[in-house]
């Protein structure tokens, strides 16, 4: 545990800390004990049992001689320094501070059983930290002329926790405008930068009401919320890298400024809060390890958001797995062999498709064991492992227990495996019978890998559709069937058969290319034309590349005259310019579906002419299977298009505003087939 007294001067960025650490020594040989401490600090003293003790501090590790025979003990470590080291997690300015626990306190692997933080900052500042707010100390004058509201005045804020937490995580401090929810427990508050708050009080109230609804739902569905308050605090966009929109810590959520300001419906604060608040349970109450985090933290939070959407009736597009903009990028990774299993230790900020895959696996588990059993599983998992570490193996054992089934094959297939099944429905034929029509067909698992699934198969007719469930793969006796028959009887004329019509299974599907595939960051090659408007093309590419890089992309910009075949065989290639500007466009063996001429385009039989417009469209990269090729075509040098992840295959834009859009019609010939008359 920590019992730390922290002092921060934002003008000088001087940081001082005296931390009393309660330590449980692991059994074993008598070797020096140690904790990690940021190398920017200077230790002042180490005290054990009231006596000053020798220590070593090098390479970011603080070590001392373990007291003979002790298994537990307290040490008092005093240190100081300036927080001016380069970091994407901690920074101090005259207005506010964001501090990462591992960068401001001594730490070692393991959960924190209890603690107390006394944080001294300028008197006008608020402090947000883990645990229960135990009060704030009196103003302390830093000179005989100092007084309330005068320079040098400070205040100490105290936070405590008595139940285990996975780690301190973060501390935020600074000048904020406070909007609390009146009454109720837990007390919910919103801290925003003063300049941002006054303009939209109605939105602040709506955000707080959403938080209150989320906490109540999750507390009922899982276990009661652990703290007496929940704070949502605005932070700058640099915190934790540009890919991250929000960060959960015990008892509070940090939300970046851009999530308040964006017009992107996938990234607005109202959209991301259901996921982030779920972290108070899946990471804040149950503590998964690094290899378990994708499935038991991020994926479970993503699926908890979907459960809340079902409960509240406010589910949005982000809560629809089969329509996620990350689905085609995930399938592309599987087809190219670059996908990774869910039980892999990885910086998930760089692999956003893991969020979707993990949420999908939770959904398929729910479909497999039933809604009531799945909800009981989550509730019992939260109760059994509250304040404890838990692994995927623990979750699987409990899933077996709750469902009364051996689900080892399920976790091996979906959590430990990195592939996806490919299904094909075929040989659908109908015959006339007295009741109407009898339709038969077959469902097959394509390929050599073994997969098992319960697949909903739907017969679409001139009237109401008819459904049945077909099981492929392992049967109850340990056999494996990869090709199984199905049959329908319908009173209406059959039209076609569709496998998995609701998209409940994570399968290899044929999906239309969309500009929104760019939501998954990676490497991109931007190719600029060198024709008549070459300088304008380069300017557009450079602006987009700067924005892409801030979102975690690795971007290369090249001219069309210097591009090789190897360059074009990339996962994401983006072309800039008109046909006459860009030689790569002129060499395409397969043209883009949409065509423009000069400063005009024909849409719905009508000509749209506007030199400030640009056409952006996506298709499969002809030089790389499952790769993405995007063309940004300005209608003239007056157009200033901004490449954004529009949820469409093509978009006619003015700046970043969409004027018209559409998505390619791409039926999946493997998963749907028209019914043929029988002999």
């Amino acid at each position: 545990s920590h019992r730390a007294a922290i002092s921060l001067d934002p003008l000088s960025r001087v940081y001082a800390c005296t931390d009393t650490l309660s330590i449980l020594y692991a059994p074993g040989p008598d070797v020096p004990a140690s904790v990690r401490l940021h190398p920017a600090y200077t230790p002042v003293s180490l005290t054990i049992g009231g006596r000053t003790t020798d220590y070593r501090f090098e390479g970011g590790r603080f070590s001392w001689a373990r007291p003979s025979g002790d298994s537990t003990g307290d040490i008092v470590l005093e240190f100081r320094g300036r927080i001016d080291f380069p970091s994407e997690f901690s920074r101090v300015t005259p207005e506010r501070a964001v501090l990462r626990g591992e960068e401001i306190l001594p730490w070692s692997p393991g959960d924190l059983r209890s603690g107390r933080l006394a944080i001294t900052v300028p008197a006008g500042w608020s402090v947000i930290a883990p645990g229960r707010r135990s009060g704030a100390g009196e103003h302390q004058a830093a000179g005989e002329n100092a007084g309330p509201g005068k320079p040098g005045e400070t205040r100490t804020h105290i936070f405590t926790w008595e139940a285990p937490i996975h780690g301190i995580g973060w501390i935020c401090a600074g000048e904020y405008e406070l909007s609390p929810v009146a009454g109720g427990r837990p007390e919910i508050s919103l801290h925003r930068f003063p300049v941002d708050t006054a303009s939209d009080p109605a939105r602040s109230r709506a955000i707080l009401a959403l938080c209150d609804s989320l906490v109540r739902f999750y507390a009922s569905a899982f276990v009661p919320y652990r703290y007496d308050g929940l704070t949502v605090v605005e932070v700058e966009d640099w915190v934790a890298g540009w890919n991250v929109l929000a960060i959960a810590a015990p008892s509070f959520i940090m939300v970046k400024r851009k999530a308040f300001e964006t017009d992107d419906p996938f990234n607005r604060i109202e959209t991301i809060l259901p996921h982030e608040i779920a972290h108070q349970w899946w990471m804040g109450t149950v503590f998964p390890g690094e290899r378990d985090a994708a499935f038991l933290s991020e994926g479970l939070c993503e699926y908890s958001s979907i459960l809340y959407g079902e409960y509240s009736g406010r589910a949005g597009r982000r809560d629809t797995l089969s329509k996620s903009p990350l689905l085609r990028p995930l399938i592309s990774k599987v087809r190219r062999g670059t996908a990774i299993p869910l039980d892999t230790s990885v910086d998930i900020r760089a692999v956003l498709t893991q969020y979707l895959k993990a949420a999908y696996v939770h959904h398929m588990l729910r479909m497999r064991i039933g809604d009531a059993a799945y909800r009981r599983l989550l509730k019992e998992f939260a109760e059994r492992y509250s304040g404890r570490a838990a692994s995927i193996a623990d979750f699987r054992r409990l899933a077996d227990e709750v469902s009364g089934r051996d689900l080892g094959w399920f976790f091996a297939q979906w959590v430990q495996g990195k592939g996806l099944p490919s299904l094909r429905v075929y040989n659908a034929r109908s015959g006339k019978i007295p009741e109407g029509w009898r339709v038969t067909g077959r469902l097959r698992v394509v390929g050599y890998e073994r997969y098992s699934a319960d697949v909903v198969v739907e017969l679409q007719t001139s009237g109401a559709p008819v459904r049945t469930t077909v099981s492929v793969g392992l049967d109850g006796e340990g056999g494996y069937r990869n090709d199984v028959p199905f049959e329908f009887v319908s009173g209406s004329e059959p039209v076609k058969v569709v496998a998995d019509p609701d998209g409940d299974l994570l399968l290899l599907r044929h999906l239309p290319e969309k500009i929104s595939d760019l939501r998954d960051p990676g490497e991109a090659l931007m190719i600029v034309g060198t024709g008549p408007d070459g300088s304008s093309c380069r300017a557009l590419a450079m602006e987009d590349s700067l924005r892409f890089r801030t979102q975690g992309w690795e971007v290369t910009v090249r001219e069309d005259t210097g591009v090789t075949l190897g360059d074009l065989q990339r996962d994401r290639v983006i072309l800039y310019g008109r046909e006459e500007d860009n030689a790569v466009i002129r060499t395409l063996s397969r043209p883009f579906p949409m065509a423009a001429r000069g400063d005009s385009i024909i849409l719905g039989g009508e000509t749209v002419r506007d030199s400030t417009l640009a056409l952006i469209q996506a298709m499969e990269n002809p030089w790389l299977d499952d790769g993405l090729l995007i063309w940004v075509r300005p209608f003239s040098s007056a157009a200033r298009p901004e490449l954004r992840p529009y949820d469409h295959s093509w978009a006619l834009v003015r700046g970043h505003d969409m004027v018209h859009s559409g998505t390619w019609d791409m039926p999946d010939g493997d998963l749907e087939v028209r019914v043929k008359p029988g002999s």
Side-chain angles (χ1 to χ4, degrees), residues 263-317:
D263 56 1
D264 182 349
F266 282 88
N267 292 332
R268 289 174 64 82
I269 179 175
E270 293 87 349
T271 308
I272 63 178
L273 273 177
H275 173 105
E276 296 303 329
I277 290 180
H279 272 302
Q280 297 300 321
W281 284 264
W282 314 125
M283 186 64 86
T285 300
V286 178
F287 312 148
E290 286 186 11
R291 294 179 63 90
D292 312 292
F295 184 67
L296 293 182
S297 179
E298 301 301 345
L300 195 43
C301 287
E302 198 76 357
Y303 200 63
S304 297
S305 172
I306 291 174
L307 294 175
Y308 173 75
E310 294 176 3
Y311 155 80
S312 64
R314 55 199 304 173
R317 190 173 180 85

Coordinates of all heavy atoms in Angstrom, one line a residue, residues 263-317:
D263 N -17.3 15.9 -34.2 CA -18.6 15.6 -34.8 C -18.6 14.1 -35.3 O -19.6 13.7 -36.0 CB -18.9 16.5 -35.9 CG -17.8 16.5 -37.0 OD1 -16.8 15.8 -36.9 OD2 -17.9 17.3 -38.0
D264 N -17.6 13.4 -35.0 CA -17.5 11.9 -35.3 C -18.4 11.2 -34.4 O -18.1 11.1 -33.2 CB -16.1 11.5 -35.3 CG -15.9 10.0 -35.7 OD1 -17.0 9.3 -35.8 OD2 -14.8 9.5 -35.9
P265 N -19.5 10.6 -34.8 CA -20.4 9.9 -33.9 C -19.8 8.7 -33.2 O -20.3 8.3 -32.1 CB -21.6 9.5 -34.8 CG -21.0 9.4 -36.2 CD -20.0 10.5 -36.2
F266 N -18.7 8.1 -33.7 CA -18.1 7.0 -33.1 C -17.2 7.4 -31.9 O -16.9 6.6 -31.1 CB -17.2 6.2 -34.1 CG -18.1 5.3 -35.0 CD1 -18.6 5.8 -36.2 CD2 -18.3 4.0 -34.7 CE1 -19.4 5.0 -37.0 CE2 -19.1 3.2 -35.5 CZ -19.6 3.7 -36.7
N267 N -16.8 8.7 -31.9 CA -15.8 9.1 -30.9 C -16.2 10.2 -30.0 O -15.4 10.7 -29.2 CB -14.5 9.6 -31.7 CG -13.8 8.4 -32.4 OD1 -13.9 7.3 -32.0 ND2 -13.1 8.8 -33.5
R268 N -17.5 10.5 -30.0 CA -18.0 11.5 -29.0 C -18.1 10.9 -27.6 O -18.2 9.7 -27.4 CB -19.4 11.9 -29.5 CG -19.4 12.8 -30.7 CD -20.8 13.1 -31.2 NE -21.6 13.9 -30.2 CZ -21.5 15.2 -30.1 NH1 -20.7 15.9 -30.8 NH2 -22.2 15.8 -29.2
I269 N -18.0 11.8 -26.6 CA -18.0 11.3 -25.2 C -19.2 10.5 -24.9 O -19.1 9.5 -24.2 CB -17.8 12.5 -24.3 CG1 -17.9 12.0 -22.8 CG2 -18.9 13.6 -24.5 CD1 -17.6 13.1 -21.8
E270 N -20.4 10.9 -25.4 CA -21.6 10.1 -25.1 C -21.5 8.7 -25.7 O -22.2 7.8 -25.1 CB -22.8 10.9 -25.8 CG -23.1 12.2 -25.2 CD -22.4 13.4 -25.8 OE1 -21.4 13.1 -26.6 OE2 -22.7 14.5 -25.5
T271 N -20.7 8.5 -26.7 CA -20.6 7.2 -27.3 C -19.6 6.3 -26.6 O -19.8 5.1 -26.5 CB -20.2 7.3 -28.8 OG1 -21.1 8.2 -29.5 CG2 -20.2 6.0 -29.5
I272 N -18.5 6.9 -26.1 CA -17.4 6.1 -25.5 C -17.6 5.9 -24.0 O -17.0 5.0 -23.4 CB -16.1 6.8 -25.8 CG1 -16.0 8.1 -25.1 CG2 -15.8 6.8 -27.3 CD1 -14.6 8.8 -25.3
L273 N -18.5 6.7 -23.3 CA -18.6 6.6 -21.9 C -19.1 5.2 -21.4 O -18.7 4.7 -20.4 CB -19.5 7.7 -21.3 CG -18.9 9.0 -20.9 CD1 -19.9 10.0 -20.5 CD2 -17.8 8.8 -19.9
P274 N -20.1 4.5 -22.1 CA -20.5 3.2 -21.7 C -19.3 2.2 -21.6 O -19.3 1.4 -20.6 CB -21.5 2.8 -22.8 CG -22.1 4.1 -23.3 CD -20.9 5.0 -23.3
H275 N -18.4 2.3 -22.5 CA -17.2 1.4 -22.4 C -16.3 1.8 -21.3 O -15.9 1.0 -20.5 CB -16.4 1.5 -23.7 CG -15.1 0.8 -23.7 ND1 -14.9 -0.4 -24.4 CD2 -13.9 1.1 -23.1 CE1 -13.6 -0.8 -24.2 NE2 -13.0 0.1 -23.4
E276 N -16.0 3.1 -21.1 CA -15.1 3.6 -20.1 C -15.6 3.3 -18.7 O -14.8 3.0 -17.8 CB -14.7 5.0 -20.4 CG -14.0 5.3 -21.7 CD -12.7 4.5 -21.8 OE1 -12.1 4.2 -20.8 OE2 -12.4 4.2 -22.9
I277 N -16.9 3.6 -18.5 CA -17.4 3.4 -17.1 C -17.4 1.9 -16.8 O -17.3 1.5 -15.6 CB -18.8 4.1 -17.0 CG1 -18.6 5.6 -17.0 CG2 -19.5 3.6 -15.7 CD1 -19.8 6.4 -16.9
A278 N -17.6 1.0 -17.8 CA -17.5 -0.4 -17.5 C -16.2 -0.8 -17.0 O -16.1 -1.8 -16.3 CB -17.9 -1.2 -18.8
H279 N -15.1 0.0 -17.2 CA -13.8 -0.3 -16.7 C -13.8 -0.3 -15.2 O -12.9 -0.8 -14.5 CB -12.7 0.6 -17.3 CG -12.1 0.1 -18.5 ND1 -11.5 -1.1 -18.6 CD2 -12.1 0.7 -19.8 CE1 -11.0 -1.2 -19.9 NE2 -11.4 -0.1 -20.6
Q280 N -14.7 0.4 -14.5 CA -14.8 0.4 -13.1 C -15.0 -1.0 -12.5 O -14.8 -1.2 -11.4 CB -15.9 1.4 -12.6 CG -15.6 2.9 -13.0 CD -14.3 3.4 -12.4 OE1 -13.9 3.1 -11.3 NE2 -13.6 4.2 -13.2
W281 N -15.6 -1.8 -13.4 CA -15.8 -3.3 -13.0 C -14.7 -4.1 -13.6 O -14.0 -4.9 -12.9 CB -17.2 -3.7 -13.4 CG -18.2 -3.2 -12.5 CD1 -18.8 -3.8 -11.5 CD2 -18.8 -1.9 -12.6 NE1 -19.7 -3.0 -10.9 CE2 -19.8 -1.8 -11.5 CE3 -18.7 -0.8 -13.4 CZ2 -20.5 -0.7 -11.3 CZ3 -19.5 0.4 -13.2 CH2 -20.4 0.4 -12.1
W282 N -14.5 -4.0 -14.9 CA -13.5 -4.9 -15.6 C -12.2 -4.2 -15.8 O -11.9 -3.6 -16.8 CB -14.1 -5.3 -17.0 CG -15.5 -5.7 -16.9 CD1 -16.6 -5.2 -17.6 CD2 -16.1 -6.8 -16.1 NE1 -17.7 -5.8 -17.3 CE2 -17.5 -6.8 -16.3 CE3 -15.6 -7.6 -15.2 CZ2 -18.3 -7.7 -15.7 CZ3 -16.4 -8.5 -14.5 CH2 -17.8 -8.6 -14.8
M283 N -11.5 -4.2 -14.7 CA -10.1 -3.7 -14.5 C -10.1 -2.9 -13.1 O -9.2 -3.0 -12.4 CB -9.6 -2.7 -15.6 CG -8.2 -2.2 -15.4 SD -7.0 -3.6 -15.5 CE -6.7 -3.6 -17.3
G284 N -11.3 -2.3 -12.8 CA -11.3 -1.6 -11.5 C -11.8 -2.4 -10.4 O -11.5 -2.1 -9.2
T285 N -12.5 -3.5 -10.7 CA -13.0 -4.4 -9.6 C -12.4 -5.8 -9.8 O -11.9 -6.4 -8.8 CB -14.6 -4.6 -9.7 OG1 -15.1 -3.3 -9.5 CG2 -15.1 -5.5 -8.6
V286 N -12.4 -6.3 -11.0 CA -11.6 -7.6 -11.3 C -10.4 -7.2 -12.0 O -10.4 -6.4 -13.0 CB -12.5 -8.5 -12.1 CG1 -11.8 -9.8 -12.5 CG2 -13.8 -8.8 -11.4
F287 N -9.2 -7.8 -11.7 CA -7.9 -7.4 -12.2 C -7.4 -8.4 -13.1 O -6.8 -9.4 -12.7 CB -6.9 -7.1 -11.0 CG -7.5 -6.3 -9.9 CD1 -7.0 -6.6 -8.6 CD2 -8.4 -5.3 -10.1 CE1 -7.5 -5.8 -7.5 CE2 -8.9 -4.6 -9.0 CZ -8.4 -4.8 -7.7
P288 N -7.5 -8.2 -14.4 CA -6.9 -9.2 -15.4 C -5.4 -8.9 -15.6 O -4.9 -7.8 -15.4 CB -7.7 -8.9 -16.7 CG -8.0 -7.5 -16.6 CD -8.3 -7.2 -15.1
G289 N -4.7 -10.0 -16.0 CA -3.3 -9.8 -16.3 C -3.1 -9.3 -17.7 O -4.1 -9.1 -18.4
E290 N -1.8 -9.0 -18.1 CA -1.6 -8.5 -19.4 C -2.1 -9.3 -20.5 O -2.7 -8.8 -21.5 CB -0.1 -8.2 -19.6 CG 0.5 -7.1 -18.8 CD 1.9 -6.8 -19.1 OE1 2.4 -7.4 -20.1 OE2 2.6 -6.0 -18.4
R291 N -1.9 -10.6 -20.4 CA -2.4 -11.5 -21.5 C -3.9 -11.7 -21.5 O -4.5 -12.2 -22.5 CB -1.7 -12.9 -21.4 CG -0.2 -12.9 -21.6 CD 0.4 -14.3 -21.3 NE -0.2 -15.2 -22.3 CZ 0.4 -15.5 -23.5 NH1 1.5 -14.8 -23.8 NH2 -0.1 -16.4 -24.3
D292 N -4.5 -11.3 -20.4 CA -6.0 -11.5 -20.3 C -6.8 -10.2 -20.6 O -8.0 -10.2 -20.7 CB -6.3 -11.9 -18.9 CG -5.5 -13.1 -18.4 OD1 -5.6 -14.2 -19.0 OD2 -4.6 -12.8 -17.5
A293 N -6.1 -9.1 -20.8 CA -6.7 -7.8 -20.8 C -7.6 -7.6 -22.0 O -8.7 -7.0 -21.9 CB -5.7 -6.6 -20.7
A294 N -7.2 -8.1 -23.2 CA -8.0 -7.9 -24.4 C -9.4 -8.5 -24.2 O -10.4 -7.9 -24.6 CB -7.3 -8.5 -25.6
F295 N -9.4 -9.7 -23.6 CA -10.7 -10.4 -23.5 C -11.5 -10.0 -22.2 O -12.7 -9.8 -22.3 CB -10.4 -11.9 -23.5 CG -11.7 -12.8 -23.4 CD1 -12.6 -12.8 -24.5 CD2 -12.0 -13.5 -22.3 CE1 -13.7 -13.6 -24.5 CE2 -13.2 -14.3 -22.3 CZ -14.0 -14.3 -23.3
L296 N -10.8 -9.9 -21.1 CA -11.5 -9.7 -19.8 C -11.5 -8.2 -19.4 O -12.2 -7.9 -18.5 CB -10.7 -10.4 -18.7 CG -10.8 -11.9 -18.8 CD1 -10.1 -12.6 -17.6 CD2 -12.3 -12.4 -18.9
S297 N -10.9 -7.3 -20.2 CA -11.0 -5.9 -19.9 C -11.6 -5.2 -21.1 O -12.8 -4.8 -21.1 CB -9.6 -5.3 -19.5 OG -9.7 -3.9 -19.3
E298 N -10.8 -4.9 -22.1 CA -11.3 -4.1 -23.2 C -12.5 -4.8 -23.9 O -13.5 -4.1 -24.2 CB -10.2 -3.9 -24.2 CG -9.0 -3.2 -23.7 CD -9.3 -1.8 -23.1 OE1 -10.4 -1.3 -23.3 OE2 -8.5 -1.3 -22.3
G299 N -12.4 -6.1 -24.2 CA -13.5 -6.7 -24.9 C -14.8 -6.8 -24.0 O -15.9 -6.6 -24.5
L300 N -14.6 -7.1 -22.7 CA -15.7 -7.2 -21.8 C -16.4 -5.8 -21.6 O -17.6 -5.7 -21.5 CB -15.3 -7.8 -20.5 CG -16.4 -8.3 -19.6 CD1 -17.5 -9.1 -20.3 CD2 -15.8 -9.2 -18.5
C301 N -15.6 -4.8 -21.6 CA -16.1 -3.4 -21.5 C -16.9 -3.1 -22.8 O -18.0 -2.5 -22.7 CB -15.0 -2.4 -21.3 SG -14.3 -2.4 -19.6
E302 N -16.4 -3.4 -23.9 CA -17.1 -3.2 -25.2 C -18.4 -3.9 -25.2 O -19.4 -3.4 -25.6 CB -16.2 -3.6 -26.3 CG -16.5 -3.0 -27.7 CD -16.1 -1.6 -27.8 OE1 -15.6 -1.0 -26.9 OE2 -16.4 -1.0 -28.9
Y303 N -18.4 -5.1 -24.7 CA -19.7 -5.9 -24.7 C -20.6 -5.4 -23.6 O -21.8 -5.5 -23.8 CB -19.4 -7.4 -24.6 CG -20.6 -8.2 -25.1 CD1 -21.0 -8.1 -26.5 CD2 -21.4 -9.0 -24.3 CE1 -22.2 -8.7 -26.9 CE2 -22.5 -9.6 -24.7 CZ -22.9 -9.5 -26.1 OH -24.0 -10.2 -26.5
S304 N -20.1 -5.0 -22.5 CA -20.9 -4.4 -21.5 C -21.7 -3.2 -22.0 O -22.8 -2.9 -21.7 CB -20.1 -4.0 -20.2 OG -19.5 -5.1 -19.6
S305 N -21.0 -2.4 -22.9 CA -21.6 -1.3 -23.5 C -22.8 -1.7 -24.4 O -23.8 -1.1 -24.4 CB -20.6 -0.5 -24.4 OG -21.2 0.5 -25.2
I306 N -22.6 -2.8 -25.1 CA -23.7 -3.4 -25.9 C -24.9 -3.8 -25.0 O -26.1 -3.6 -25.3 CB -23.2 -4.5 -26.8 CG1 -22.2 -4.0 -27.8 CG2 -24.3 -5.3 -27.4 CD1 -21.5 -5.0 -28.7
L307 N -24.6 -4.5 -23.9 CA -25.6 -4.9 -23.0 C -26.4 -3.6 -22.4 O -27.6 -3.7 -22.3 CB -25.0 -5.6 -21.8 CG -24.4 -7.0 -22.1 CD1 -23.8 -7.6 -20.9 CD2 -25.4 -8.0 -22.7
Y308 N -25.7 -2.6 -22.2 CA -26.3 -1.3 -21.7 C -27.2 -0.8 -22.8 O -28.3 -0.3 -22.6 CB -25.3 -0.3 -21.3 CG -26.0 1.0 -20.9 CD1 -26.7 1.2 -19.8 CD2 -25.9 2.1 -21.8 CE1 -27.3 2.4 -19.5 CE2 -26.5 3.3 -21.5 CZ -27.2 3.5 -20.4 OH -27.9 4.6 -20.1
G309 N -26.7 -0.8 -24.1 CA -27.5 -0.3 -25.2 C -28.8 -1.1 -25.3 O -29.9 -0.5 -25.6
E310 N -28.8 -2.4 -25.1 CA -30.0 -3.2 -25.1 C -31.0 -2.8 -24.0 O -32.2 -2.7 -24.2 CB -29.6 -4.7 -25.0 CG -28.9 -5.3 -26.2 CD -28.5 -6.7 -26.0 OE1 -28.8 -7.3 -25.0 OE2 -27.8 -7.3 -26.9
Y311 N -30.4 -2.6 -22.8 CA -31.2 -2.3 -21.7 C -31.9 -0.9 -21.8 O -33.0 -0.7 -21.5 CB -30.3 -2.3 -20.4 CG -30.8 -1.5 -19.3 CD1 -31.8 -1.9 -18.4 CD2 -30.2 -0.2 -19.0 CE1 -32.3 -1.1 -17.4 CE2 -30.7 0.5 -18.0 CZ -31.7 0.1 -17.1 OH -32.1 0.9 -16.1
S312 N -31.1 0.0 -22.3 CA -31.6 1.4 -22.3 C -32.3 1.8 -23.6 O -33.0 2.8 -23.6 CB -30.4 2.4 -22.1 OG -29.5 2.3 -23.3
G313 N -32.2 1.0 -24.6 CA -32.8 1.3 -25.9 C -32.1 2.4 -26.6 O -32.6 3.0 -27.6
R314 N -30.9 2.7 -26.2 CA -30.1 3.8 -26.9 C -28.9 3.3 -27.6 O -27.9 4.0 -27.7 CB -29.7 4.9 -25.9 CG -29.0 4.4 -24.7 CD -29.0 5.4 -23.5 NE -28.6 6.7 -23.8 CZ -28.6 7.7 -23.0 NH1 -29.2 7.6 -21.8 NH2 -28.2 8.9 -23.4
A315 N -28.9 2.0 -28.0 CA -27.8 1.4 -28.8 C -27.6 2.2 -30.1 O -28.5 2.5 -30.8 CB -28.0 0.0 -29.0
G316 N -26.3 2.5 -30.3 CA -26.0 3.2 -31.6 C -25.2 2.2 -32.5 O -25.1 1.0 -32.2
R317 N -24.7 2.8 -33.6 CA -24.0 2.0 -34.6 C -22.8 1.3 -34.0 O -22.4 0.2 -34.4 CB -23.7 2.8 -35.8 CG -23.1 2.0 -37.0 CD -23.0 2.9 -38.2 NE -22.5 2.1 -39.3 CZ -23.3 1.4 -40.1 NH1 -24.6 1.4 -39.9 NH2 -22.7 0.7 -41.2

